[in-house]
Amino acid sequence: MGVLVHHKEHPGLVLIGRRKGSHGSGSLALPGGHLEVNESVAQCAVREVEEECNLALDSTSVRLVGVTQDVFSESAGKHYVTLIVIAAVLSTSPLLKNTEPHKCEAWEWITLEALVQRRAECFLPLQHALDTFLMKPDILTQGLSGGLKMNENLRQ
């Protein structure tokens, strides 16, 4: 999962970090990660952004904006289906902090247009998202209202 972090203090900007210590090391990526067992998509988005960035998200704001299918090189041996969600930062959130420096060099706020210019530096799921849906007009402003609300009912 990748999370587009919507922050009122950074309108029109995307939070991006440079991965390290894992496949895709050195590439730019959204905050995010893997779902844990019995965890909803919204819970995963909130947990991952808090763990990685120290930011508190509004779990009721999480919306699906797109999905990518990502087949990595043979050496990586990975095939991801990546959910890209958008979620709003709570007004009471702590400040941005790189809380996992062993996994991310640093976080920065940039425009989508600037990110497109750096596409070659992006983690494969982010490249695919840029190619297919992230460049829709107003995705950062309309994603919270126009994205798909995620089902929170976890049934076995």
Side-chain angles (χ1 to χ4, degrees):
M1 168 185 309
V3 182
L4 290 167
V5 176
H6 183 270
H7 200 304
K8 289 182 180 180
E9 294 180 16
H10 302 282
L13 300 179
V14 179
L15 184 61
I16 296 296
R18 191 168 297 278
R19 295 172 60 92
K20 67 186 220 187
S22 182
H23 72 285
S25 187
S27 63
L28 299 174
L30 298 169
H34 298 108
L35 282 162
E36 294 183 355
V37 174
N38 294 321
E39 183 177 50
S40 72
V41 170
Q43 289 168 333
C44 179
V46 168
R47 176 183 55 77
E48 288 288 355
V49 169
E50 182 179 11
E51 286 176 0
E52 296 175 7
C53 309
N54 197 48
L55 296 173
L57 298 180
D58 175 359
S59 65
T60 66
S61 75
V62 176
R63 298 289 185 275
L64 178 68
V65 294
V67 178
T68 65
Q69 181 168 226
D70 316 298
V71 179
F72 292 84
S73 67
E74 289 293 323
S75 61
K78 297 191 183 291
H79 181 169
Y80 284 1
V81 173
T82 305
L83 305 176
I84 306 294
V85 300
I86 190 168
V89 175
L90 292 168
S91 61
T92 57
S93 176
L95 296 175
L96 174 64
K97 179 181 177 186
N98 185 8
T99 52
E100 293 184 329
H102 59 289
K103 293 182 180 180
C104 178
E105 289 180 23
W107 294 106
E108 64 178 309
W109 295 99
I110 65 171
T111 65
L112 278 174
E113 293 76 17
L115 188 58
V116 168
Q117 298 302 314
R118 297 170 69 182
R119 182 192 177 282
E121 297 175 58
C122 293
F123 191 46
L124 188 60
L126 184 53
Q127 288 183 11
H128 290 159
L130 287 167
D131 293 345
T132 55
F133 57 83
L134 271 189
M135 294 312 296
K136 284 197 257 180
D138 300 322
I139 194 156
L140 296 178
T141 56
Q142 301 299 317
L144 289 172
S145 59
L148 298 174
K149 185 165 173 41
M150 302 305 301
N151 179 9
E152 291 298 312
N153 298 322
L154 299 175
R155 296 191 183 119
Q156 295 183 350

